[in-house]
Amino acid sequence: DTGVSQDPRHKITKRGQNVTFRCDPISEHNRLYWYRQTLGQGPEFLTYFQNEAQLEKSRLLSDRFSAERPKGSFSTLEIQRTEQGDSAMYLCASSLGTGTSNQPQHFGDGTRLSIL
Amino acid sequence: GQQLNQSPQSMFIQEGEDVSMNCTSSSIFNTWLWYKQDPGEGPVLLIALYKAGELTSNGRLTAQFGITRKDSFLNISASIPSDVGIYFCAGRHYGGATNKLIFGTGTLLAVQP
């Protein structure tokens, strides 16, 4: 049983560039989450998918951010026109659940984004 | 964004000592989770709690879901060097469709052999 996989592990880019991250959840998990973690803080929720439907988005997810999960399996998170403040660890998690029932979320090792 | 109050912020202990940390919220949760995070890695689930008053153990770790649904604590007994890391509590709100987790600010644990 493989865990949540994220790619790339590290991304360094210049301000103003676009970046895209990929997350492959645990295979049988229907729910997928994106979080952002800055140094010294706990992860903060960005968005959540159940299968291919994006059901919740945080106010932290500005219009420069877009997430997709087109086939209900892997997901991508794109940041357009990156800014210094986007530098953070982007974590993906997945879980199995139906309705209000939800098993615990399991996290990947994240993509660390550094904006020059 | 919202973060839970977690204390202590850091702990420096000797190997073999017991450790206790807690998390409080101003709102009610229906799930409390405890994670451990090592540098450069994602959080790893330690214990999940689903009922008020529930006490659950995982090896040397014991966690409790507070009866008010607004707090939780984690105890580590007989600490060992590999317990070093940052421990996060996380809660999921009661009711509604949201499945997001609200995380605490973390407790940094250092264990001296």
Side-chain angles (χ1 to χ4, degrees):
Chain A
D1 179 26
T2 58
V4 178
S5 177
Q6 292 190 245
D7 183 72
R9 291 294 312 278
H10 305 275
K11 180 71 176 178
I12 301 173
T13 191
K14 293 182 179 179
R15 183 167 51 96
Q17 298 293 306
N18 299 343
V19 294
T20 300
F21 312 139
R22 177 181 170 120
C23 171
D24 287 272
I26 293 172
S27 58
E28 64 269 25
H29 285 183
N30 59 333
R31 293 177 171 172
L32 186 148
Y33 313 78
W34 285 99
Y35 291 81
R36 182 174 70 185
Q37 185 177 26
T38 54
L39 202 60
Q41 300 294 316
E44 293 180 290
F45 171 79
L46 292 178
T47 190
Y48 149 63
F49 290 85
Q50 178 160 306
N51 301 312
E52 66 276 5
Q54 188 173 19
L55 297 185
E56 188 172 357
K57 292 195 289 187
S58 162
R59 294 174 186 173
L60 293 175
L61 211 66
S62 75
D63 56 7
R64 295 185 298 105
F65 288 69
S66 62
E68 296 182 342
R69 194 183 184 200
K71 297 182 180 180
S73 56
F74 73 91
S75 174
T76 58
L77 177 67
E78 180 183 17
I79 309 174
Q80 296 182 327
R81 306 181 302 281
T82 52
E83 301 173 355
Q84 293 281 356
D86 296 332
S87 294
M89 173 83 89
Y90 290 84
L91 292 163
C92 178
S94 70
S95 72
L96 182 64
T98 56
T100 57
S101 170
N102 199 35
Q103 293 187 7
Q105 296 176 27
H106 294 268
F107 285 80
D109 284 335
T111 293
R112 176 157 305 280
L113 174 65
S114 298
I115 307 297
L116 301 177
Chain B
Q2 180 187 359
Q3 298 234 302
L4 304 177
N5 297 315
Q6 191 171 342
S7 65
Q9 189 173 8
S10 60
M11 301 181 73
F12 299 89
I13 63 171
Q14 297 283 335
E15 183 177 1
E17 289 184 23
D18 297 343
V19 169
S20 184
M21 59 192 77
N22 72 289
C23 204
T24 60
S25 168
S26 58
S27 56
I28 291 172
F29 288 121
N30 72 349
T31 304
W32 280 98
L33 304 167
W34 286 90
Y35 290 87
K36 177 175 181 279
Q37 187 173 27
D38 292 330
E41 299 183 6
V44 174
L45 180 68
L46 299 174
I47 293 180
L49 302 159
Y50 299 102
K51 295 181 181 178
E54 180 181 354
L55 186 71
T56 297
S57 293
N58 177 12
R60 294 178 296 106
L61 278 61
T62 301
Q64 186 160 26
F65 192 140
I67 57 173
T68 65
R69 296 181 178 269
K70 292 183 178 181
D71 62 338
S72 178
F73 73 75
L74 175 70
N75 286 343
I76 305 173
S77 62
S79 58
I80 59 178
S82 62
D83 290 334
V84 165
I86 303 177
Y87 291 79
F88 289 101
C89 62
R92 177 174 170 245
H93 276 116
Y94 184 79
T98 184
N99 285 298
K100 68 183 179 185
L101 294 178
I102 309 296
F103 277 83
T105 47
T107 294
L108 172 65
L109 178 62
V111 180
Q112 185 170 1

